[in-house]
Amino acid sequence: MNSSLNPPSLAETVNAKGFSHAAGFRIVNIVPGHAEVALARRDDLVQFFGHFHGGVITALADQAAGIAVTSGLPKGRIGVTVEIKVNFLSPADGGELIARARTLKMSGSIGVATVDVFSKDGATETLCAFCTATMRALDLPAEFR
Amino acid sequence: MNSSLNPPSLAETVNAKGFSHAAGFRIVNIVPGHAEVALARRDDLVQFFGHFHGGVITALADQAAGIAVTSGLPKGRIGVTVEIKVNFLSPADGGELIARARTLKMSGSIGVATVDVFSKDGATETLCAFCTATMRALDLPAEFR
Amino acid sequence: MNSSLNPPSLAETVNAKGFSHAAGFRIVNIVPGHAEVALARRDDLVQFFGHFHGGVITALADQAAGIAVTSGLPKGRIGVTVEIKVNFLSPADGGELIARARTLKMSGSIGVATVDVFSKDGATETLCAFCTATMRALDLPAEFR
Amino acid sequence: MNSSLNPPSLAETVNAKGFSHAAGFRIVNIVPGHAEVALARRDDLVQFFGHFHGGVITALADQAAGIAVTSGLPKGRIGVTVEIKVNFLSPADGGELIARARTLKMSGSIGVATVDVFSKDGATETLCAFCTATMRALDLPAEFR
């Protein structure tokens, strides 16, 4: 996380659990309506050809989209995914993935975000996937507040 | 796997690597144009609320779609994902996920599959996600044959 | 319309306006959660190759999905499209299009429908497009009731 | 069309036929990998509420995406739509629609484009829809060359 958020943000709390934690998702930056999440390559995150697995790419994009949309909601609300769509554009064969999400529109309880996912090798970033996600805002259940 | 495939099929070989292996994807059945893949719940596969992570659901659907499409291709060809779209319909809070894919259409080198993903709790299956995937058939690179 | 609905249903009223009316969309059947809408070929509805235009196919699928979802809502509510996704599977070169929609899931105010679109030539129907639509239920504005 | 193209481009020839001609699609600008297409409001292009019909919006986005992708292909090749996905973000209630497409990636015979669609009222443009389209490049059939 890029800064001295204290206590941890909802995004950090969400990210520190389950698959995103186990895979090593790393929140790089959040500004309202935008989020950047990174993931280093590991052998248990790739597919047959040794590139990042499409589902892992989708998970990272989903996480970034959720953070971007949630960052624009009032406290106590969270965005959950209604649907997600990913186009795979080039092999995700770098050492790291970077997902950069931005909220395109919030309208009532529906938010739409797009995510550029880059495969990073050294200083070179290549757009490897493009994602659109539709989110629905709901009240964070009491047990998670 | 449902039967005495010997040597292992391409689907089994693909599945035994990387994320699908690490997560524990289990090929239940393949008939040309159809595939069923299952995944047992684990704490490292869920999201914040404790349900299967959307990216993991997508990965399972993607794997099933790829197997369904590839199963209809000539030997030496494999389907890779051009784009995938998933609608999340209800909480994936069961003990197991079952993804059932079928090829809707092969046309030239483009195949389209749909996948029903069920959350299974005991004997009860609930449709928790619906997926459409567009695949592109390509020659299996020599080093993977 | 398949029967003696009197007064006209909301679906018929919606269909009798604007593009759906001008293009000649014909409601063939409605049962709660399902809708069938047809469209005869005309030279002003095709694309360059003489097949039905992809946008016209999408419009028909959208209309059918909206009717299917709305048919399951309480009176005074209508489903509007959040997002729609269409795969074009084979040339829509028949004399008529038939869109058959079904609601996959209603959950809160969100409904998801799939639509099979067939190109019909004489007695032969060919699946030419497959669509997924996400709808949002809202109160019909007072001026439209 | 923005300039002295003489003879007409493939995009203009395609646009001058069928639905795009009947609806009044107007090519505003083409540079390789980008296209802008506009459409004035007419009563036969709207839906029940009087806004542009979602299918008409999709048709315009599809046309713009096709032109953007085709503009980057060698002469004699054309992009046809494999699948298209549109999120509707706000009411398309302006006097004109403007679709601005750009090619995100060409890879082999597959091209992916995104399209921003604006509803224009006087000098104000509002993003009303966002579209992703996957295109397949094929040889223009001899009878259309």
Side-chain angles (χ1 to χ4, degrees):
Chain A
M1 187 56 207
N2 65 327
S3 65
S4 50
L5 290 188
N6 187 353
S9 67
L10 175 57
E12 289 173 296
T13 306
V14 167
N15 199 59
K17 276 195 154 182
F19 178 67
S20 47
H21 174 72
F25 288 12
R26 188 166 48 87
I27 299 176
V28 178
N29 198 19
I30 306 175
V31 294
H34 293 77
E36 181 173 331
V37 186
L39 177 64
R41 192 187 180 289
R42 275 192 342 217
D43 286 350
D44 61 343
L45 299 175
V46 302
Q47 34 81 294
F48 183 54
F49 296 152
H51 311 155
F52 279 97
H53 194 287
V56 173
I57 295 171
T58 304
L60 192 75
D62 184 32
Q63 199 90 358
I67 295 173
V69 166
T70 300
S71 72
L73 296 175
K75 201 171 148 58
R77 302 272 284 171
I78 189 169
V80 299
T81 311
V82 171
E83 59 90 33
I84 193 162
K85 198 259 196 204
V86 183
N87 271 78
F88 300 100
L89 302 174
S90 62
D93 52 6
E96 194 178 31
L97 288 180
I98 317 271
R100 295 197 182 98
R102 71 184 182 103
T103 303
L104 214 55
K105 178 80 183 183
M106 274 302 310
S107 169
S109 62
I110 302 286
V112 178
T114 59
V115 192
D116 292 323
V117 185
F118 298 89
S119 174
K120 190 173 177 182
D121 226 3
T124 307
E125 293 186 354
T126 307
L127 185 68
C128 67
F130 179 78
C131 166
T132 310
T134 306
M135 301 265 159
R136 188 164 55 94
L138 46 79
D139 291 333
L140 202 54
E143 70 265 36
F144 295 107
R145 285 187 207 176
Chain B
M1 187 55 207
N2 66 330
S3 66
S4 49
L5 290 188
N6 187 352
S9 68
L10 174 57
E12 290 174 296
T13 306
V14 167
N15 199 59
K17 278 195 155 181
F19 178 68
S20 47
H21 174 72
F25 288 13
R26 187 165 49 85
I27 300 176
V28 177
N29 199 19
I30 307 175
V31 294
H34 294 77
E36 180 173 331
V37 186
L39 177 64
R41 192 187 180 288
R42 276 192 341 216
D43 286 351
D44 61 343
L45 299 175
V46 302
Q47 33 80 293
F48 183 55
F49 296 152
H51 310 154
F52 279 96
H53 194 287
V56 173
I57 295 171
T58 304
L60 192 75
D62 184 32
Q63 199 91 358
I67 295 173
V69 167
T70 301
S71 72
L73 297 175
K75 201 171 149 56
R77 302 272 283 171
I78 189 169
V80 299
T81 311
V82 171
E83 58 90 33
I84 193 163
K85 198 258 196 207
V86 182
N87 272 79
F88 300 100
L89 303 173
S90 63
D93 54 6
E96 194 177 31
L97 288 181
I98 316 272
R100 295 196 182 98
R102 70 184 183 104
T103 303
L104 215 55
K105 178 80 182 184
M106 275 302 309
S107 171
S109 62
I110 302 286
V112 177
T114 59
V115 192
D116 292 323
V117 185
F118 298 89
S119 173
K120 191 174 177 181
D121 226 4
T124 307
E125 294 186 354
T126 306
L127 185 68
C128 66
F130 179 78
C131 165
T132 311
T134 306
M135 302 266 158
R136 188 164 55 94
L138 46 79
D139 290 333
L140 201 54
E143 71 265 35
F144 296 107
R145 286 189 206 173
Chain C
M1 187 57 207
N2 66 329
S3 65
S4 49
L5 291 188
N6 188 353
S9 67
L10 174 57
E12 290 174 294
T13 306
V14 167
N15 199 59
K17 277 195 155 180
F19 178 67
S20 47
H21 174 73
F25 288 13
R26 188 166 48 86
I27 299 174
V28 178
N29 199 18
I30 307 175
V31 294
H34 293 77
E36 180 174 331
V37 186
L39 176 64
R41 193 189 180 288
R42 277 191 341 216
D43 286 350
D44 62 342
L45 299 175
V46 301
Q47 33 81 294
F48 183 55
F49 296 152
H51 310 154
F52 279 96
H53 194 287
V56 172
I57 294 171
T58 304
L60 192 75
D62 184 33
Q63 199 90 359
I67 295 173
V69 167
T70 301
S71 72
L73 297 175
K75 202 172 149 57
R77 301 273 284 171
I78 189 168
V80 299
T81 311
V82 171
E83 60 88 33
I84 193 162
K85 198 259 195 206
V86 183
N87 272 78
F88 301 99
L89 302 174
S90 62
D93 54 5
E96 194 176 31
L97 288 180
I98 317 271
R100 294 196 183 100
R102 71 184 182 103
T103 303
L104 214 54
K105 178 80 182 184
M106 275 302 310
S107 171
S109 62
I110 301 286
V112 177
T114 58
V115 192
D116 293 322
V117 185
F118 298 89
S119 174
K120 190 174 178 182
D121 225 4
T124 307
E125 295 185 354
T126 306
L127 185 68
C128 67
F130 179 78
C131 165
T132 310
T134 305
M135 302 265 158
R136 188 164 56 94
L138 46 79
D139 290 334
L140 202 54
E143 71 265 34
F144 295 107
R145 286 187 207 175
Chain D
M1 188 55 211
N2 65 329
S3 65
S4 51
L5 291 188
N6 188 353
S9 67
L10 174 57
E12 289 173 295
T13 305
V14 167
N15 200 58
K17 277 195 154 180
F19 178 67
S20 47
H21 174 72
F25 288 13
R26 188 166 47 87
I27 299 175
V28 178
N29 199 19
I30 306 175
V31 295
H34 292 78
E36 181 173 331
V37 186
L39 176 64
R41 192 187 180 289
R42 274 189 345 214
D43 286 349
D44 61 343
L45 299 175
V46 302
Q47 34 81 294
F48 183 54
F49 296 152
H51 310 154
F52 279 96
H53 194 286
V56 173
I57 294 171
T58 304
L60 192 75
D62 184 33
Q63 200 91 359
I67 295 172
V69 167
T70 301
S71 72
L73 297 175
K75 201 171 148 57
R77 301 272 283 171
I78 189 169
V80 299
T81 311
V82 171
E83 59 88 34
I84 193 163
K85 199 261 195 203
V86 183
N87 271 78
F88 301 99
L89 302 174
S90 63
D93 53 5
E96 194 177 32
L97 288 180
I98 316 271
R100 294 195 183 100
R102 72 184 181 104
T103 303
L104 213 56
K105 177 80 182 182
M106 274 303 309
S107 170
S109 63
I110 302 286
V112 177
T114 59
V115 192
D116 293 323
V117 185
F118 298 89
S119 175
K120 190 174 178 183
D121 226 4
T124 307
E125 294 186 354
T126 306
L127 185 69
C128 66
F130 179 78
C131 166
T132 310
T134 306
M135 301 266 159
R136 188 164 55 94
L138 47 79
D139 291 332
L140 201 55
E143 71 265 35
F144 295 107
R145 285 188 207 175

